[in-house]
Amino acid sequence: MTSVLVFGFCVTVSLVLALGSVSAQPTRAFFVFGDSLVDSGNNDFLATTARADAPPYGIDYPTHRPTGRFSNGLNIPDLISLGLGLEPTLPYLSPLLVGEKLLIGANFASAGIGILNDTGIQFLNIIHIQKQLKLFHEYQERLSLHIGAEGARNLVNRALVLITLGGNDFVNNYYLVPYSARSRQFSLPDYVRYLISEYRKVLRRLYDLGTRRVLVTGTGPMGCVPAELATRSRTGDCDVELQRAASLFNPQLVEMLNGLNQELGADVFIAANAQRMHMDFVSNPRAYGFVTSKIACCGQGPYNGVGLCTAASNLCPNRDLYAFWDPFHPSEKASRIIVQQILRGTTEYMHPMNLSTIMAIDSRT
């Protein structure tokens, strides 16, 4: 989707208190894989058009400068780290990720990618998921040199992992243009089944690389983002076809995760119902303090959903009143709502358990 973190002590503490952190846990590493929803700046180091390295991105970040996050401020991985009392992870490509910083974990995500390697090819040089997994293996080799092979293995086994994939495989592949190559190759139901089968291989590879606690987010309401309202909706209603894609993909993802867990004999993979998390405030924005869930804070054209968010774009004065920051991505406030459900949500949001429960269970082992 078109779609160096340095916190002062006071900033970190205030953000943790604002989120209401889970009870103190022994420090554990956090690894992030996926697309622009969770990219913390890797694409800033790449020759790609999928970048968030210019104002007004980062306008509400503690430094008030762009960081490569597709947000006005903090993104979902940042907020998970802060909610757990962990230091936020650095992008893997950051030159600051050396020495003791390796113990925190790393963010491998890259804007524009999908489950499939042909997703996002228009963005040129991005880190496709197979490359992200190779970099994770490289990270473990670097970590082994720092703390030894056994220490590295234990750190990865105990780590928390977040992976967010799938949305781009629809909006930046299957539905990117009329009669796209993938839409000619597959009917939508067959395409979804193919995506799920390929995603299963990715997740199994993550397990083989040593991860044992993996949060897997489904797709959000793709047809309801301002970009799709601007290009595919005449009435302002969510696009039916993209919503149909999400309604096919998400249940099959949960079913696949359940099957993997049964095969492995443990709750390794945790499903986060991103569709439900988003639809709460998309369908009733005022209940969550937003004035709109249709119009992006930053953009141009109908619903501020056309093109990129740039210094020349329309920019709302109060980002907390908008569910969407730019044509595709949630505002920091919306991301906070999502992370609260990840941390404490019922089984309607997190299956088979939320992150607070995971942390409590893992603290006893």
Side-chain angles (χ1 to χ4, degrees):
M1 293 180 180
T2 56
S3 20
V4 186
L5 190 55
V6 182
F7 279 87
F9 176 79
C10 293
V11 173
T12 303
V13 170
S14 64
L15 286 169
V16 171
L17 291 175
L19 275 166
S21 65
V22 177
S23 56
Q25 302 287 341
T27 298
R28 68 193 296 179
F30 184 27
F31 300 106
V32 182
F33 301 86
D35 57 28
S36 60
L37 290 166
V38 292
D39 185 352
S40 291
N42 280 308
N43 280 22
D44 281 5
F45 300 95
L46 302 171
T48 176
T49 57
R51 299 165 71 102
D53 60 343
Y57 284 98
I59 188 171
D60 298 311
Y61 192 76
T63 60
H64 305 292
R65 300 179 64 181
T67 62
R69 292 162 174 79
F70 287 76
S71 173
N72 57 300
L74 303 175
N75 65 7
I76 287 171
D78 296 326
L79 295 166
I80 290 174
S81 292
L82 292 170
L84 297 177
L86 305 175
E87 184 175 342
T89 55
L90 289 168
Y92 184 69
L93 298 184
S94 169
L96 300 181
L97 187 67
V98 293
E100 294 298 303
K101 291 291 185 183
L102 291 168
L103 304 179
I104 298 165
N107 186 317
F108 299 88
S110 177
I113 73 136
I115 297 165
L116 306 181
N117 277 341
D118 58 293
T119 293
I121 56 173
Q122 67 271 31
F123 302 126
L124 304 176
N125 188 24
I126 53 180
I127 314 172
H128 293 286
I129 190 59
Q130 298 301 330
K131 176 66 172 178
Q132 290 184 30
L133 296 176
K134 289 178 182 177
L135 291 177
F136 185 40
H137 182 260
E138 177 184 282
Y139 160 88
Q140 293 186 44
E141 293 178 334
R142 292 174 59 193
L143 184 65
S144 295
L145 294 174
H146 188 62
I147 62 173
E150 184 178 356
R153 194 161 46 246
N154 290 338
L155 182 144
V156 171
N157 287 165
R158 289 193 66 255
L160 177 67
V161 177
L162 172 68
I163 184 166
T164 295
L165 289 173
N168 282 326
D169 293 288
F170 296 102
V171 301
N172 278 313
N173 191 329
Y174 194 86
Y175 292 109
L176 178 62
V177 294
Y179 309 108
S180 67
R182 288 298 190 183
S183 69
R184 295 195 307 272
Q185 180 183 11
F186 293 106
S187 68
L188 179 61
D190 287 344
Y191 183 64
V192 169
R193 282 189 286 271
Y194 176 59
L195 288 178
I196 294 296
S197 69
E198 292 300 301
Y199 204 175
R200 191 184 193 280
K201 297 173 187 176
V202 169
L203 296 176
R204 182 64 205 223
R205 178 60 180 152
L206 264 181
Y207 179 84
D208 292 343
L209 285 166
T211 63
R212 296 296 181 266
R213 286 293 194 193
V214 183
L215 304 180
V216 184
T217 68
T219 70
M222 299 178 289
C224 303
V225 301
E228 303 305 334
L229 296 183
T231 57
R232 301 175 66 93
S233 174
R234 294 183 178 180
T235 63
D237 294 329
C238 300
D239 177 68
V240 173
E241 187 66 10
L242 279 166
Q243 290 300 89
R244 176 175 170 243
S247 71
L248 289 172
F249 179 85
N250 289 319
Q252 291 184 48
L253 176 63
V254 174
E255 183 180 357
M256 180 264 282
L257 298 178
N258 288 339
L260 265 177
N261 286 339
Q262 289 174 8
E263 179 183 305
L264 298 170
D267 290 325
V268 174
F269 299 102
I270 311 298
N273 189 342
Q275 171 85 359
R276 175 70 186 271
M277 293 173 187
H278 282 81
M279 284 308 296
D280 283 350
F281 56 77
V282 166
S283 60
N284 191 5
R286 293 189 179 276
Y288 293 85
F290 299 119
V291 297
T292 179
S293 60
K294 295 181 183 294
I295 303 169
C297 168
C298 182
Q300 47 277 314
Y303 307 102
N304 278 347
V306 178
L308 302 172
C309 170
T310 70
S313 297
N314 302 317
L315 179 65
C316 68
N318 186 348
R319 275 68 65 185
D320 285 349
L321 298 180
Y322 287 72
F324 286 95
W325 155 245
D326 69 8
F328 282 108
H329 304 96
S331 63
E332 179 185 310
K333 181 178 174 180
S335 292
R336 287 176 177 274
I337 294 168
I338 292 165
V339 169
Q340 284 295 336
Q341 294 293 2
I342 291 173
L343 288 169
R344 297 181 176 83
T346 66
T347 52
E348 294 178 55
Y349 297 90
M350 298 292 295
H351 176 78
M353 63 190 121
N354 62 37
L355 184 50
S356 297
T357 302
I358 291 169
M359 297 297 284
I361 291 171
D362 291 353
S363 70
R364 299 194 292 266
T365 59

